[in-house]
mmCIF file of all heavy atoms in Angstrom:
data_model
loop_
_atom_site.group_PDB
_atom_site.id
_atom_site.type_symbol
_atom_site.label_atom_id
_atom_site.label_comp_id
_atom_site.label_asym_id
_atom_site.label_seq_id
_atom_site.Cartn_x
_atom_site.Cartn_y
_atom_site.Cartn_z
ATOM 1 N N ALA A 433 104.064 119.676 63.120
ATOM 2 C CA ALA A 433 104.995 120.413 62.177
ATOM 3 C C ALA A 433 105.072 119.688 60.800
ATOM 4 O O ALA A 433 104.996 120.281 59.742
ATOM 5 C CB ALA A 433 106.320 120.660 62.779
ATOM 6 N N ILE A 434 105.283 118.377 60.968
ATOM 7 C CA ILE A 434 105.378 117.576 59.683
ATOM 8 C C ILE A 434 104.069 117.636 58.917
ATOM 9 O O ILE A 434 104.126 117.834 57.680
ATOM 10 C CB ILE A 434 105.708 116.074 60.066
ATOM 11 C CG1 ILE A 434 107.087 116.061 60.663
ATOM 12 C CG2 ILE A 434 105.583 115.186 58.815
ATOM 13 C CD1 ILE A 434 107.395 114.647 61.168
ATOM 14 N N ILE A 435 102.957 117.500 59.568
ATOM 15 C CA ILE A 435 101.675 117.549 58.927
ATOM 16 C C ILE A 435 101.433 118.914 58.291
ATOM 17 O O ILE A 435 100.971 119.075 57.184
ATOM 18 C CB ILE A 435 100.469 117.144 59.900
ATOM 19 C CG1 ILE A 435 100.644 115.669 60.299
ATOM 20 C CG2 ILE A 435 99.197 117.410 59.197
ATOM 21 C CD1 ILE A 435 99.616 115.359 61.325
ATOM 22 N N GLY A 436 101.817 119.940 59.047
ATOM 23 C CA GLY A 436 101.622 121.322 58.501
ATOM 24 C C GLY A 436 102.436 121.610 57.293
ATOM 25 O O GLY A 436 101.947 122.183 56.337
ATOM 26 N N PHE A 437 103.700 121.247 57.351
ATOM 27 C CA PHE A 437 104.565 121.522 56.196
ATOM 28 C C PHE A 437 104.157 120.620 55.059
ATOM 29 O O PHE A 437 104.370 121.021 53.817
ATOM 30 C CB PHE A 437 106.035 121.224 56.540
ATOM 31 C CG PHE A 437 106.738 122.351 57.372
ATOM 32 C CD1 PHE A 437 107.112 122.128 58.623
ATOM 33 C CD2 PHE A 437 106.774 123.596 56.752
ATOM 34 C CE1 PHE A 437 107.723 123.205 59.378
ATOM 35 C CE2 PHE A 437 107.476 124.619 57.461
ATOM 36 C CZ PHE A 437 107.859 124.454 58.756
ATOM 37 N N THR A 438 103.649 119.472 55.287
ATOM 38 C CA THR A 438 103.163 118.549 54.198
ATOM 39 C C THR A 438 102.047 119.270 53.530
ATOM 40 O O THR A 438 101.810 119.164 52.306
ATOM 41 C CB THR A 438 102.762 117.174 54.717
ATOM 42 O OG1 THR A 438 103.907 116.631 55.421
ATOM 43 C CG2 THR A 438 102.353 116.304 53.628
ATOM 44 N N GLU A 439 101.147 119.882 54.336
ATOM 45 C CA GLU A 439 99.998 120.525 53.775
ATOM 46 C C GLU A 439 100.442 121.740 52.871
ATOM 47 O O GLU A 439 99.883 121.915 51.795
ATOM 48 C CB GLU A 439 99.064 121.066 54.927
ATOM 49 C CG GLU A 439 97.881 121.875 54.502
ATOM 50 C CD GLU A 439 96.881 121.084 53.668
ATOM 51 O OE1 GLU A 439 96.855 119.821 53.856
ATOM 52 O OE2 GLU A 439 96.172 121.641 52.866
ATOM 53 N N LEU A 440 101.402 122.522 53.358
ATOM 54 C CA LEU A 440 101.954 123.600 52.582
ATOM 55 C C LEU A 440 102.621 123.112 51.271
ATOM 56 O O LEU A 440 102.435 123.667 50.251
ATOM 57 C CB LEU A 440 102.943 124.368 53.363
ATOM 58 C CG LEU A 440 102.481 125.156 54.546
ATOM 59 C CD1 LEU A 440 103.630 125.772 55.313
ATOM 60 C CD2 LEU A 440 101.486 126.209 54.103
ATOM 61 N N LEU A 441 103.317 121.931 51.402
ATOM 62 C CA LEU A 441 103.937 121.346 50.198
ATOM 63 C C LEU A 441 102.923 120.824 49.210
ATOM 64 O O LEU A 441 103.147 121.048 47.939
ATOM 65 C CB LEU A 441 104.887 120.201 50.688
ATOM 66 C CG LEU A 441 105.658 119.535 49.571
ATOM 67 C CD1 LEU A 441 106.658 120.621 48.912
ATOM 68 C CD2 LEU A 441 106.561 118.373 50.111
ATOM 69 N N SER A 442 101.791 120.388 49.624
ATOM 70 C CA SER A 442 100.734 119.901 48.754
ATOM 71 C C SER A 442 100.126 121.048 47.917
ATOM 72 O O SER A 442 99.504 120.718 46.850
ATOM 73 C CB SER A 442 99.637 119.143 49.559
ATOM 74 O OG SER A 442 98.931 120.126 50.357
ATOM 75 N N GLN A 443 100.294 122.245 48.350
ATOM 76 C CA GLN A 443 99.781 123.393 47.700
ATOM 77 C C GLN A 443 100.682 123.942 46.623
ATOM 78 O O GLN A 443 100.369 124.920 45.887
ATOM 79 C CB GLN A 443 99.364 124.506 48.649
ATOM 80 C CG GLN A 443 98.359 124.069 49.723
ATOM 81 C CD GLN A 443 98.072 125.133 50.754
ATOM 82 O OE1 GLN A 443 98.577 126.238 50.644
ATOM 83 N NE2 GLN A 443 97.335 124.795 51.851
ATOM 84 N N SER A 444 101.812 123.406 46.502
ATOM 85 C CA SER A 444 102.833 123.841 45.495
ATOM 86 C C SER A 444 102.646 123.047 44.159
ATOM 87 O O SER A 444 101.802 122.199 44.108
ATOM 88 C CB SER A 444 104.269 123.648 45.992
ATOM 89 O OG SER A 444 104.504 122.237 46.314
ATOM 90 N N ASN A 445 103.375 123.425 43.164
ATOM 91 C CA ASN A 445 103.248 122.785 41.866
ATOM 92 C C ASN A 445 103.937 121.339 41.894
ATOM 93 O O ASN A 445 105.135 121.231 41.977
ATOM 94 C CB ASN A 445 103.814 123.704 40.785
ATOM 95 C CG ASN A 445 103.093 124.976 40.591
ATOM 96 O OD1 ASN A 445 101.898 125.019 40.766
ATOM 97 N ND2 ASN A 445 103.851 126.071 40.269
ATOM 98 N N LEU A 446 103.104 120.359 41.956
ATOM 99 C CA LEU A 446 103.627 119.009 42.002
ATOM 100 C C LEU A 446 103.028 118.162 40.878
ATOM 101 O O LEU A 446 101.874 118.438 40.500
ATOM 102 C CB LEU A 446 103.229 118.254 43.355
ATOM 103 C CG LEU A 446 103.666 119.058 44.624
ATOM 104 C CD1 LEU A 446 103.023 118.293 45.843
ATOM 105 C CD2 LEU A 446 105.207 119.062 44.776
ATOM 106 N N ASP A 447 103.786 117.198 40.402
ATOM 107 C CA ASP A 447 103.193 116.332 39.400
ATOM 108 C C ASP A 447 102.394 115.274 40.164
ATOM 109 O O ASP A 447 102.278 115.201 41.348
ATOM 110 C CB ASP A 447 104.283 115.684 38.496
ATOM 111 C CG ASP A 447 105.317 114.861 39.372
ATOM 112 O OD1 ASP A 447 104.905 114.228 40.380
ATOM 113 O OD2 ASP A 447 106.533 114.839 39.025
ATOM 114 N N LYS A 448 101.706 114.401 39.373
ATOM 115 C CA LYS A 448 100.801 113.409 39.962
ATOM 116 C C LYS A 448 101.463 112.498 41.002
ATOM 117 O O LYS A 448 100.868 112.167 42.020
ATOM 118 C CB LYS A 448 100.018 112.622 38.899
ATOM 119 C CG LYS A 448 98.942 111.699 39.450
ATOM 120 C CD LYS A 448 98.276 110.968 38.265
ATOM 121 C CE LYS A 448 97.165 110.098 38.845
ATOM 122 N NZ LYS A 448 97.504 109.233 39.942
#
Side-chain angles (χ1 to χ4, degrees):
I434 293 172
I435 294 175
F437 281 116
T438 303
E439 177 64 27
L440 293 175
L441 187 59
S442 68
Q443 298 174 10
S444 60
N445 294 324
L446 302 174
D447 58 35
K448 186 178 183 307

